[in-house]
Amino acid sequence: MPALAPSDIIAVIGAGAMGAGIAQVAAQAGHPVRLYDNSDGAAQAGIDGVRRQLEKRVAKGKMAQDEVDAIIARMSPAATLAELADSRLVVEAIVENLEVKRGVFAELESLCGPDTLLTSNTSSLSITSIAAGLERPERLAGLHFFNPAPVMKLVEVISGLATDVEVAETLYATAAAWGKVPVHASSTPGFIVNRVARPFYAEGLRLLQEGATDFATLDALLRQAGGFRMGPFELMDLIGHDVNYAVTRSVFDAYYGDTRFEPSLVQQALVEAGRLGRKSGQGFYDYRDHAAPTSPDFAPTVEAELPPLIAEGQLGAIAPLVARAEAAGLEVVRRESVSGQARLRLGGLTLALSDGRCAAERARDEGVEALVLFDLCLDYERASAIALAASPGVDAEAREPATALFQRLGLDVTWLTDTPGLVVLRTVAMLANEAADAVLQGVCSARDGDLAMQAGLNYPRGPLAWADGLGLAFVHRTLTHLQQSYGEERYRASFLLRRKALAEESFHV
Ligand code: NAI
């Protein structure tokens, strides 16, 4: 379906943070835009706000003044809903209340022509429910922008039960014409991003609650080893714990208490204490003046003579780590292994990539005396930190060669309490699992699921492409081990992941 023409009038209802931003996006794409807000003066204030934002770009030399003038000239405040009657597309961005939104759409239906597309920017309400009761529910869809709308690329185009395929396709093409990255999603709780992202926060909170390590170290690992722009704790502090906790609760309730989405008592306590994050001066971190800085708990430098590093078996995902050791001038001996499994040996230590079992269990299962597990990295050639965990009996002195090895490669090293799946592997496995389930349930395609997480949250890789790269059998095994370790449904593997692993398929061809 073709995109709407730039001459088509776009109406935006609600001139708050989102509505003003969406109006700006449409006006920048060349459309005449009408902005309506039921609070006196709010629509004009929204347009003035857009002008101020754009003039900052002029001051930085990133935009010409006449361009700004043209964009603002295309935006006009509307005094009544009736003034939106000749719009081709209406984007509603008002208060997050089902009854109020339904009321607005019912009124619009009586005012607008039959071809007007009706959309809601809701982040948590069901599109199916918003459309219920309309005479033509097939022309209503979700058009979910992210904050700030002019900056964030992702737009989720959400189809409710009744939404016409052509309506969704037109919205998709229009969002693309506006320079956005659109994805299709069906109306289910959290849509794509707010659902698939839950484990990023939830696993961090679990690891903290279980004493794997402290929050600053977890953040550092997800940034420096996982390649995420921000760790979960600094990100939750930025979003605000009240907002993040409310989203988690609403997704948890909407999925009838599925433990995969269970809210965290750690976060609840922060909300109860009023430690909402940056906006209140304190969350996990302390943002108040004179607060002591919080640093990750990395091991001090260990100076030790290193024995040769013996690399056995099919190295697969950890081949770049061994290459990095060679490049750092370490003596590396490569050899076959009877099992074919990837193992590194360093003196009396056996080193292996985590597979979701804790070190104690894996050492027992595999008959290894001194086992050190290391975490997944997005890119072993570029990572700058790594988490390790040791089997029982590997004391501080016995750990030193492993610490020295990774430090010699330029990595910050931290030792975790022996925890299943460590940090990055566990988080990535759970993100991929959630994305796989969304695909299984027809919420989105694998392509759109990955695209949404990259364009909406700047993830360094789509979770499903990441899982493909690791091998779905490995990711499935990791999840199964996590589930066995905790005995919890929360870690159950998505059937789609299992089926694809069994068929030796991947999500992306
Ligand atoms: P906001 O509170 O900044 O703005 C809402 C605006 O709507 C206000 O100016 C208010 O006067 C106006 N309004 C309320 N009821 C109205 C009515 N019946 N008719 C006309 N105008 C009315 O809210 P925000 O943050 O812009 O959110 C708006 C919508 O966008 C909500 O559905 C929210 O869930 C969704 N959303 C919010 C995001 C965010 O990060 N803030 C991100 C994505 C979606």
Side-chain angles (χ1 to χ4, degrees):
M1 292 299 292
L4 298 183
S7 55
D8 286 330
I9 299 170
I10 310 294
V12 179
I13 307 181
M18 293 307 294
I22 296 165
Q24 177 186 333
V25 171
Q28 275 184 279
H31 295 275
V33 176
R34 305 226 173 110
L35 186 56
Y36 170 75
D37 196 293
N38 69 352
S39 161
D40 269 355
Q44 186 57 52
I47 297 171
D48 295 344
V50 171
R51 179 191 283 281
R52 277 196 302 279
Q53 287 303 319
L54 292 176
E55 280 178 349
K56 281 190 200 156
R57 293 178 60 80
V58 175
K60 288 185 191 154
K62 291 184 175 168
M63 210 176 211
Q65 184 62 49
D66 54 358
E67 220 179 317
V68 174
D69 294 342
I71 292 167
I72 298 299
R74 285 195 285 275
M75 301 175 75
S76 55
T80 61
L81 274 185
E83 289 177 32
L84 312 179
D86 54 352
S87 325
R88 181 75 179 85
L89 164 66
V90 180
V91 187
E92 167 276 309
I94 64 168
V95 61
E96 188 75 336
N97 177 304
L98 179 62
E99 288 316 314
V100 179
K101 286 188 195 285
R102 274 183 171 166
V104 166
F105 283 114
E107 199 175 338
L108 283 170
E109 205 172 37
S110 69
L111 296 168
C112 300
D115 291 338
T116 305
L117 305 179
L118 304 178
T119 67
S120 173
N121 185 50
T122 179
S123 31
S124 64
L125 300 172
S126 151
I127 296 301
T128 303
S129 290
I130 294 175
L134 289 184
E135 269 169 45
R136 293 195 51 214
E138 63 276 12
R139 61 157 148 178
L140 189 140
L143 199 61
H144 187 210
F145 289 79
F146 290 72
N147 192 7
V151 177
M152 298 302 291
K153 287 279 177 207
L154 183 67
V155 176
E156 292 178 327
V157 177
I158 300 138
S159 294
L161 205 56
T163 308
D164 195 300
V165 174
E166 289 188 0
V167 169
E169 292 298 348
T170 303
L171 294 170
Y172 184 98
T174 302
W178 292 359
K180 296 295 176 189
V181 174
V183 292
H184 284 292
S186 69
S187 181
T188 46
F191 311 135
I192 305 175
V193 168
N194 279 338
R195 170 190 182 162
V196 176
R198 300 306 348 128
F200 188 69
Y201 314 108
E203 290 311 309
L205 288 161
R206 271 295 282 258
L207 287 161
L208 181 70
Q209 192 174 27
E210 292 173 8
T213 182
D214 59 82
F215 61 83
T217 308
L218 290 166
D219 273 350
L221 288 167
L222 281 151
R223 274 194 322 266
Q224 293 178 236
F228 290 90
R229 272 246 188 117
M230 293 177 94
F233 301 95
E234 50 193 346
L235 185 51
M236 286 185 278
D237 271 5
L238 181 68
I239 294 168
H241 291 284
D242 49 345
V243 174
N244 191 263
Y245 182 65
V247 175
T248 307
R249 283 214 61 147
S250 94
V251 174
F252 177 64
D253 292 342
Y255 282 103
Y256 303 108
D258 186 335
T259 52
R260 206 131 87 191
F261 305 110
E262 194 172 81
S264 165
L265 293 177
V266 173
Q267 191 170 38
Q268 185 194 55
L270 287 181
V271 175
E272 285 170 350
R275 294 190 187 181
L276 304 181
R278 279 181 183 269
K279 63 185 171 190
S280 73
Q282 218 180 347
F284 283 107
Y285 295 87
D286 192 340
Y287 302 93
R288 293 167 302 177
D289 292 343
H290 314 300
T294 317
S295 323
D297 179 26
F298 289 131
T301 305
V302 172
E303 302 289 351
E305 271 295 302
L306 282 178
L309 178 67
I310 297 168
E312 291 179 359
Q314 296 293 326
L315 296 179
I318 64 165
L321 183 66
V322 174
R324 185 166 172 174
E326 279 168 332
L330 298 184
E331 188 185 345
V332 176
V333 179
R334 290 169 185 268
R335 68 183 188 207
E336 299 294 305
S337 82
V338 184
S339 67
Q341 286 188 334
R343 290 282 176 282
L344 303 178
R345 303 203 192 271
L346 189 70
L349 295 176
T350 297
L351 281 68
L353 170 62
S354 170
D355 68 356
R357 281 175 290 182
C358 67
E361 183 173 3
R362 183 145 165 205
R364 187 206 59 193
D365 291 351
E366 297 184 1
V368 176
E369 206 163 301
L371 179 66
V372 171
L373 297 179
F374 56 87
D375 201 0
L376 177 69
C377 291
L378 170 67
D379 177 352
Y380 282 110
E381 274 180 80
R382 297 215 188 113
S384 60
I386 197 155
L388 306 178
S391 59
V394 181
D395 63 16
E397 198 184 332
R399 292 175 184 202
E400 284 193 349
T403 308
L405 168 73
F406 287 102
Q407 287 179 339
R408 208 67 69 77
L409 306 189
L411 294 150
D412 291 326
V413 175
T414 189
W415 288 89
L416 304 182
T417 309
D418 187 14
T419 302
L422 302 177
V423 177
V424 179
L425 176 61
R426 173 166 163 164
T427 304
V428 169
M430 287 296 278
L431 288 170
N433 199 36
E434 203 48 59
D437 237 28
V439 174
L440 177 66
Q441 293 161 7
V443 175
C444 59
S445 66
R447 174 191 171 276
D448 281 4
D450 273 0
L451 207 53
M453 303 316 287
Q454 290 178 284
L457 290 176
N458 296 316
Y459 279 13
R461 238 175 139 177
L464 296 173
W466 206 335
D468 280 349
L470 291 169
L472 298 186
F474 171 70
V475 176
H476 183 260
R477 201 161 58 241
T478 299
L479 289 162
T480 306
H481 286 150
L482 280 165
Q483 191 186 9
Q484 283 163 357
S485 296
Y486 287 104
E488 286 177 50
E489 278 290 287
R490 172 190 178 87
Y491 294 101
R492 70 192 186 278
S494 165
F495 176 68
L496 184 59
L497 228 155
R498 180 176 166 81
R499 189 168 69 202
K500 283 191 175 286
L502 288 169
E504 296 182 17
E505 288 175 3
S506 52
F507 283 96
H508 301 277
V509 277

